[in-house]
Amino acid sequence: MADLDYSKLHPDTLAVRAGTERTHFGEHSDAMFLTSSFVVGSAEEAMLKFTGQVPGFIYSRFTNPTVSAFEERLAAMEGAERAVATASGMSAIMSLCLAHLRAGDHIVASSVLFGSTMQFFNNYMAKFGVEVTYASPVDLAEWHAAIKPNTKLFFLETPSNPLIDVADIRAIADIAHGAGAILAVDNCFCSPALQQPLKHGADIVVHSATKYIDGQGRVLGGAVVGSNALIEPVYLFLRTAGPTLSPFNAWVLLKGLETLGIRMKAHSENAMQLATWLEAHPKVAKVYYSGLQSHPQHALAERQQSGHGGVVSFDVKGGKDVAWRVIDRVQLMSRTANLGDVRTTISHPATTSHGRLTQEARNRAGIGDGLIRISVGLEHVGDLIADLERGFAD
Ligand SMILES: *Cc1c(COP(=O)(O)O)cnc(C)c1O
């Protein structure tokens, strides 16, 4: 009988089946290999493994069976040839940049990025002679205009945080390729359960697995995903420099992937109900959620994603004082800037995640003083609505 063709399976199936390699015990679940190194049977075998002439495990900074199971499963779900796992989302972004860029290169990046990503580009890549120009995720002309002869990398996050701008991956990939650059997409908000950027023309996907892939607030992790040719240099950087994923965290993330599809569906359903309720609320000025008809990129999100995810933002009427009062009065939601958890979180971007920007930069980014971001969890939506009612009460 021919082997089952995994490339034909749905990501939900791959999430529970891909990457599993049983030991001689025949364990049904994935084993966890907490070992830093591996022994060989002979001097010759050691030589063959070290030179890469035969595959096999040597040392867990290079790779480890539990880590490689996670890498295989994630790559399968993204429809990619290969993934390498990293210690965190930020180490995925750092490894991608240090493996693929050199002094004198130029990045075109979305102007709405995770704060640490922007700090990494501005404070560290700049120090090593790599320049960055920012372009609006929803204005293709800005991406065209930002291109320089030395542009090597386009970097994009979609949907964006906290305003849920949806960027057109295919259109931006075409602009990147026209300039001889590659496009990397941070797929943290949707996860592979809702969006597979490689299928829309992106070359590389980066993940913070800390968010939805774990989804239960337990571990940090990340990954860089793409073709063998683009991932091999990232792997060589990681095995040399060392920001690799621990086998324990890889095991937790393997379990996370198994429920990712149903969790993302449930997050999206709860978020849609909450967004609809908020949009009708007299104390709310505006709701940002791509599932709503009122969202400017609703149609694009419907095409590009198979769900709208769990993050909803909204402006309250009355600015910061009202926003802070809502946040202080909720009793169920967690007051924390983290996102992608089974527990709902609530935050005030202007004074937390985006507090270091100047008022002017925040205004330009559309992050007002009345903006509240909610990462909608898996509690019953009726209880979440009642919690916000408490927040809004006079
Ligand atoms: C959290 C986050 C990161 C960084 O991930 P860590 O695992 O915290 O290092 C990168 N991108 C986005 C969009 C994130 O939300």
Side-chain angles (χ1 to χ4, degrees):
M1 209 164 40
D3 279 349
L4 188 61
D5 182 358
Y6 271 56
S7 70
K8 295 211 164 63
L9 300 177
H10 191 280
D12 288 353
T13 306
L14 295 169
V16 297
R17 290 287 175 183
T20 295
E21 230 171 281
R22 299 201 170 97
T23 71
H24 63 280
F25 292 117
E27 68 281 0
H28 191 202
S29 182
D30 302 278
M32 178 173 16
F33 293 89
L34 290 180
T35 180
S36 55
S37 65
F38 301 83
V39 292
V40 288
S42 68
E44 190 193 8
E45 189 188 335
M47 185 269 291
L48 292 171
K49 282 186 176 164
F50 264 85
T51 54
Q53 293 174 72
V54 303
F57 297 100
I58 301 168
Y59 187 54
S60 288
R61 170 153 44 77
F62 299 5
T63 191
N64 166 290
T66 318
V67 174
S68 78
F70 169 66
E71 292 168 337
E72 264 184 56
R73 190 170 293 178
L74 182 64
M77 291 176 72
E78 289 281 6
E81 278 176 6
R82 189 165 169 198
V84 285
T86 58
S88 66
M90 286 317 303
S91 51
I93 293 166
M94 173 190 73
S95 303
L96 159 69
C97 290
L98 294 186
H100 279 284
L101 300 173
R102 62 180 66 241
D105 286 346
H106 175 243
I107 304 171
V108 182
S110 169
S111 54
V112 195
L113 287 180
F114 185 66
S116 297
T117 306
M118 229 170 217
Q119 282 169 38
F120 173 68
F121 287 165
N122 295 342
N123 301 345
Y124 297 97
M125 290 314 284
K127 193 161 109 174
F128 293 98
V130 176
E131 271 189 298
V132 56
T133 305
Y134 294 102
S136 161
V138 293
D139 186 346
L140 297 178
E142 288 192 18
W143 292 80
H144 270 293
I147 292 167
K148 297 184 180 190
N150 54 342
T151 303
K152 293 282 159 46
L153 174 69
F154 274 39
F155 190 94
L156 177 67
E157 225 172 83
T158 182
S160 76
N161 180 17
L163 295 179
I164 323 297
D165 289 320
V166 178
D168 188 333
I169 297 172
R170 171 70 60 189
I172 293 174
D174 287 347
I175 299 169
H177 298 153
I182 56 173
L183 170 64
V185 174
D186 183 330
N187 198 24
C188 166
F189 261 51
C190 275
S191 89
L194 300 184
Q195 174 171 274
Q196 291 140 343
L198 302 178
K199 296 191 175 151
H200 301 288
D203 303 286
I204 286 183
V205 170
V206 295
H207 275 292
S208 168
T210 316
K211 310 295 168 53
Y212 287 107
I213 291 178
D214 172 22
Q216 291 156 80
R218 300 165 294 191
V219 298
L220 276 85
V224 189
V225 189
S227 66
N228 220 346
L230 287 173
I231 297 306
E232 178 67 11
V234 182
Y235 165 69
L236 293 175
F237 170 78
L238 270 159
R239 70 177 259 174
T240 306
T244 37
L245 185 66
S246 86
F248 178 79
N249 287 10
W251 184 84
V252 171
L253 294 170
L254 274 166
K255 299 291 108 188
L257 285 178
E258 290 173 3
T259 58
L260 182 64
I262 52 167
R263 278 188 288 112
M264 292 314 290
K265 257 188 219 129
H267 280 294
S268 302
E269 273 171 30
N270 266 2
M272 186 65 199
Q273 288 193 49
L274 201 68
T276 305
W277 178 80
L278 283 165
E279 202 165 43
H281 199 284
K283 292 185 178 171
V284 172
K286 188 169 179 188
V287 182
Y288 306 86
Y289 188 64
S290 65
L292 296 173
Q293 297 282 346
S294 59
H295 188 280
Q297 295 99 36
H298 172 70
L300 170 63
E302 289 273 301
R303 272 202 315 279
Q304 193 165 266
Q305 304 167 199
S306 57
H308 296 278
V311 181
V312 176
S313 296
F314 59 101
D315 287 315
V316 297
K317 293 175 183 166
K320 183 187 137 194
D321 291 350
V322 176
W324 274 27
R325 211 174 60 169
V326 171
I327 291 168
D328 288 346
R329 285 184 174 194
V330 296
Q331 292 177 356
L332 189 60
M333 298 182 181
S334 311
R335 282 174 283 273
T336 166
N338 193 26
L339 64 89
D341 198 278
V342 292
R343 298 185 173 94
T344 297
T345 67
I346 185 166
S347 69
H348 186 245
T351 50
T352 58
S353 50
H354 296 71
R356 274 198 245 178
L357 298 182
T358 61
Q359 181 78 42
E360 198 223 326
R362 271 199 302 278
N363 290 347
R364 231 183 309 123
I367 297 161
D369 290 344
L371 185 73
I372 292 177
R373 189 197 71 192
I374 295 184
S375 167
V376 184
L378 301 186
E379 301 94 339
H380 193 278
V381 71
D383 291 329
L384 297 176
I385 287 173
D387 204 31
L388 281 177
E389 287 281 24
R390 264 192 293 276
F392 282 121
D394 292 318

